[in-house]
Amino acid sequence: MRVSLAGFLAFVLCLGWLSAHPPKGGTSVDNAMDTQLPLKTFRGMQAEAKGCIECHAKKNPGIVADWKMSQHAHAGVSCIDCHGVTKDSPMLTMDGHEGSKVPISVLVSTNTCAKCHEKEVTEFRHSGHVRGAVQIWAKANMRDLMVMVEGRNHPDLKHAPAATGCQQCHGSIIQLNKNHRPTPETWPTYGIGTAFPDGSVGNCASCHSAHKFSLEEARKPAACASCHLGPDHPDIEIYNNSMHGHIFNAEGAKWNFNAAPGTWKVPDFRAPTCATCHMSGNAKSAVTHNVSRRLKWNLFMPLSKLRTGGYETASDDYKYENKITIGNPLAGNPKGPEAARAEMEAGCVDCHNKQHIDNFFIMADKNIMLYNEYWKEAVKMKDELAKKHLLGKDMWADDFQNTMYHMWHHEGRRMRQGGIMGAPDYSHWHGVFEVQQDIRKLRKIYAKRLKTNKIED
Amino acid sequence: MRVSLAGFLAFVLCLGWLSAHPPKGGTSVDNAMDTQLPLKTFRGMQAEAKGCIECHAKKNPGIVADWKMSQHAHAGVSCIDCHGVTKDSPMLTMDGHEGSKVPISVLVSTNTCAKCHEKEVTEFRHSGHVRGAVQIWAKANMRDLMVMVEGRNHPDLKHAPAATGCQQCHGSIIQLNKNHRPTPETWPTYGIGTAFPDGSVGNCASCHSAHKFSLEEARKPAACASCHLGPDHPDIEIYNNSMHGHIFNAEGAKWNFNAAPGTWKVPDFRAPTCATCHMSGNAKSAVTHNVSRRLKWNLFMPLSKLRTGGYETASDDYKYENKITIGNPLAGNPKGPEAARAEMEAGCVDCHNKQHIDNFFIMADKNIMLYNEYWKEAVKMKDELAKKHLLGKDMWADDFQNTMYHMWHHEGRRMRQGGIMGAPDYSHWHGVFEVQQDIRKLRKIYAKRLKTNKIED
Amino acid sequence: MRVSLAGFLAFVLCLGWLSAHPPKGGTSVDNAMDTQLPLKTFRGMQAEAKGCIECHAKKNPGIVADWKMSQHAHAGVSCIDCHGVTKDSPMLTMDGHEGSKVPISVLVSTNTCAKCHEKEVTEFRHSGHVRGAVQIWAKANMRDLMVMVEGRNHPDLKHAPAATGCQQCHGSIIQLNKNHRPTPETWPTYGIGTAFPDGSVGNCASCHSAHKFSLEEARKPAACASCHLGPDHPDIEIYNNSMHGHIFNAEGAKWNFNAAPGTWKVPDFRAPTCATCHMSGNAKSAVTHNVSRRLKWNLFMPLSKLRTGGYETASDDYKYENKITIGNPLAGNPKGPEAARAEMEAGCVDCHNKQHIDNFFIMADKNIMLYNEYWKEAVKMKDELAKKHLLGKDMWADDFQNTMYHMWHHEGRRMRQGGIMGAPDYSHWHGVFEVQQDIRKLRKIYAKRLKTNKIED
């Protein structure tokens, strides 16, 4: 183990403290942007950057090769522009190294990206993506699952599940040790909701991977697929199951993914990718990095609800209020759920007539509401069992609660997301077909507990 | 909700009627072809089509862009050729619109495709693909599963599982409302067995997606993958697991998928795709759209049986007899199962010697027969339980029947299909490894019920 | 069935004999290499090869087309060079045919490949890959699972699960019948650990598929994916879930996979494939076909152990000692586990800084050790149940043993392999999330058995 005991204890203490005290987003959160270096206005390469490039081309050739292919390199944006920080920045990880005197950070936050891409970062800040990390630490049951349940509350190993699992998609709340180095428990992560020491939240490199930061990459389904997969939200599987995915998988290799921002549209492609529907411009909506904006429903919650909450708040809560919150799960379109749907449908029109679109959404919406019927029945049974003290304390060892969790978190999401994204196999076999069996299992356990007045062993 | 209550009630009544009265395939089924417009013989663009194109290029640019890339456009086949109908056609959905006086249908059936592609449509009509939709509605237990069980018999929502699930692959029996518009419960669907108001069955666009109708697309595994996937017939997963898929996935992007019909053969590709084995021409079999023709076994049924039934009948039953039937589950090669196998093997020879092919099929066939041994044991137990009234009424809440269903419909198909298509992981881990555990579970439940003379709660 | 009864009985007898007597690796194992024809030194095409090519170009055009695209063809290596054998070779399958008098073998073993690629074959022989087939037949419980449990000990069908499943990835111990033809129970197979009649073990064509034997193919994830998938080691799923796979899937189609051996490196690619990390050259390790060499841990065993065993021995045991052994499960780097890790990390440096790499492996290692905690608890419970005769005889029908098997063989591998290869969904949802539920199930069964002093039915 390369982490010292002292270092680890410091981390554990820090984590304990975290539960009680939401971490501050840097030393001077209110003017966090002030810790960013101003953007240079000339196009040439900085002398210091040449030093970085020459040395790292030998040590880490992939980084430099990537950058050379990037729009950044072509625009004269180089190492220091993103990694350079002020000496007193909460982001500082090295105050010069290998002969260079430039203070730098190995971390690059959205504050940095916003120096040039302010519109994109603002939109992104309004999206559910930024809730990724902070919402986890805002919920006691999530912390318990990761650390106590899965990590067995083991003194040395308990943070491994979060570090190798949750945080790699959700992001982490990055902590620096006393030497200003990010701790292994919180970094590296490619998680999209990563909270940085400067108080900013979010990670552009989740989709536009470093150090190429490619537009083309983020337009392809693979960019979303490394997180949007698996039993609880099999979005890439859903896409592949859909007619859209069918067409992309058959022909997408020949499409034009490299159109300039805001100009990517039919016939650059024959079928939409994730980015097309959720982000690309159409008749009713400009290009947006707020992926929640065109969503009518919240489909990850146990009960499907209309997204009536406007913008996401988790990033601002963290950055400006120093609070770790679950944000705004009903974030969506500031004009409400029907406006969200209208902005989504404006994309469908490129290839489908109105009757087609209307019919499709009528049934997909009904499918979502149908799921709610299952959920409400389960809740009713659970409430009655709770009242009669017939629920186990450890929900993961209690068949009723465990089945109910899966009915929501796994099967129920697949039913809803499969239907709304045109994936019959996920809507049916991985969705409602399993949900209907879950409810039967719940009814059986419920009846047995009521009958015997005890929890089965 | 955009569907009126009256409209919905009309639909529900219609569905209720459907159960008792198989829907007629149009007003004048016997001469359904007569409702098709004759194919024009000149190559130029029709004046009306120019109107369509100009307007839809603005409203739905993807449709027009697709068509422009199609062989249809190059051959002068345009909008009206496929969408134009007679005023009294059962397919009519709009009697002129936006200034045009041409009566059209938003639906395009195989009757239309057959105007030019008669051979392909006839072959397709002989294949199991056309059973897709009608077989579902022909079986009471399937209707129950979709509407009563999964749909909770909910007055408003009960058709959502079928509409978002089953019908998107199997196809629907399209119903038009009083305004001649297809109902949301039955359209849109890309399902391959869709039954149209003109009595024709099948959907060419399932594999050759609109409006490009590409040959290349249908030759790629992705075309089959949007339906042939998942727990009950993971055919794309099986392909990816096979050496054939391994080679395609490593190199296929460079192969020639665009050879003219009937000319696509080695070395256009280095390994077969789904279409190569099941459809492409070889020494013993011409190109065919009858995908059942080279199948020796029926591997979707609970007990594997040799395909001795000749051609599929479901399409003709619907079109000419006005009957919704399960068709001919033993449809295959009109010359019988060994002829089917011989036609399949004639493709293998391109890359494999006879010893290799013979050995492979000896063991794959044994694997299929081995599955039958498991199934027959289960049936014997079930029959005895039934005789002693030890089977639950709701099969989905009865552990014995539910496990038996999965042993057949999921695990048992994977064992058989995995073996016959060279996918060891599916034959073993997703197949026989699970089947052997299913049979153990069945034996336990069986023994317990016999011993206690009751169904466990 | 094309196999005669006599032939089958001979095979069954042979299999029975196999259990008791490890098969010899050919008639003269000690000088197995002597049965190989010497490599020709001129570059022209042999006259006999021209005969092969002309005839097989008609009969099996795919084989000849493949070969024409191969480096072999360009280097003048043709049919006889690989398929020609001496008359008394244990590999002989046909002593001339169709007018040719050249004795040939339809089988090509690593002995043949080693005539030109000795370094690669030697490295491969040192890797865990060669344990594939022999380890299965070395373990009584594996034979039982395949033949008795899954094959139902059926007189005619019992070998189908091994032939369609296990052996297609693991490889088989190829047996020839009295006519020198490989038996259907043991061939064809693409299994990487196939043991040949000449005593050599391993199959180069598993990754470099015949008859192109492409370098490019083996560098792509698809080459590994046809075996490294599924519930027990979802390595391709893990790769696709990782940031590495995300990048490959988005851009890999444009990378250069065709660099000459030993020259393939950044910026030929932007992200590593399986081959990059496990086989390609880097600052601390030359290119190697010993895929075990850079592995610190054995992660397929029930308890994770450090790889301290040096080279794999199964191939040499078979070839030189005539023994079927489980080989050396702790084979890895001859300098030990830390050297293995250092050789692996030397690849990471291309794109990641040391802090990143160190932090990543600290937590991935902890995740592996955390799994061990779960396993040790399970073993303790199992030992106590065994002592009290509370374990069922048929482990597959015993809930405790069956769950424990899955906790190790499926869920536990996914937790460990998912973490160490950067795949959060597999580490978490398919891994530790399921492992923690397994342990709860085990605890329940354990408590119930202790309490009731009987095995539940």
Side-chain angles (χ1 to χ4, degrees), chain C residues 404-453:
Chain C
M404 196 170 160
Y405 174 85
H406 281 82
M407 186 175 114
W408 149 49
H409 195 271
H410 287 34
E411 283 86 84
R413 285 181 177 174
R414 299 192 299 241
M415 172 179 172
R416 294 175 282 172
Q417 296 185 10
I420 201 78
M421 290 189 277
D425 205 69
Y426 282 84
S427 184
H428 187 263
W429 290 114
H430 298 276
V432 65
F433 178 74
E434 298 201 0
V435 167
Q436 63 89 355
Q437 290 180 65
D438 290 336
I439 199 77
R440 278 162 174 74
K441 190 171 173 191
L442 292 177
R443 285 179 197 147
K444 270 195 199 178
I445 303 173
Y446 168 78
K448 197 165 183 178
R449 289 189 187 177
L450 284 194
K451 187 176 159 192
T452 61
N453 202 32

Side-chain angles (χ1 to χ4, degrees), chain A residues 235-262:
Chain A
D235 300 322
I236 187 63
E237 296 91 339
I238 282 171
Y239 182 72
N240 288 333
N241 180 197
S242 75
M243 202 67 184
H244 294 154
H246 156 154
I247 296 173
F248 170 79
N249 287 322
E251 311 188 3
K254 296 181 183 169
W255 297 349
N256 175 28
F257 283 92
N258 215 12

Side-chain angles (χ1 to χ4, degrees), chain A residues 241 243 246-247 250-251 254 270 349-350 352-353 359 363 366 374 377 424-425 427-429 437 440 444, chain B residues 59-60 62 66 106 150 152 156 164-165 182 184 187 206 209 212 216-217 220 226 394 397 402 405 409:
Chain A
N241 180 197
M243 202 67 184
H246 156 154
I247 296 173
E251 311 188 3
K254 296 181 183 169
R270 257 199 84 209
V349 172
D350 271 359
H352 300 287
N353 61 59
N359 277 11
M363 297 313 290
K366 286 194 182 187
Y374 283 97
E377 181 185 345
D425 206 69
S427 183
H428 188 262
W429 290 115
Q437 290 179 66
R440 280 163 173 73
K444 270 194 198 179
Chain B
K59 287 202 174 168
N60 319 99
D66 248 28
V106 71
E150 295 180 354
R152 299 169 71 88
D156 185 34
T164 62
W187 189 84
S206 298
S209 68
K212 190 175 173 190
E216 185 167 350
E217 174 185 330
K220 294 204 175 161
S226 53
D394 175 0
N402 198 336
Y405 174 85
H409 196 271

Side-chain angles (χ1 to χ4, degrees), chain C residues 48 55 74 104 262 357 386 391:
Chain C
E48 296 92 337
C55 189
H74 285 273
I104 63 151
I357 301 166
L391 289 177

Side-chain angles (χ1 to χ4, degrees), chain A residues 182-228:
Chain A
T183 63
E185 287 79 4
T186 65
W187 189 85
T189 170
Y190 296 103
I192 201 161
T194 297
F196 286 84
D198 66 0
S200 72
V201 176
N203 193 350
C204 304
S206 298
C207 310
H208 306 275
S209 68
H211 283 87
K212 191 175 172 188
F213 309 108
S214 155
L215 188 56
E216 183 167 352
E217 175 186 328
R219 284 170 172 164
K220 294 205 175 162
C224 313
S226 53
C227 288
H228 286 269

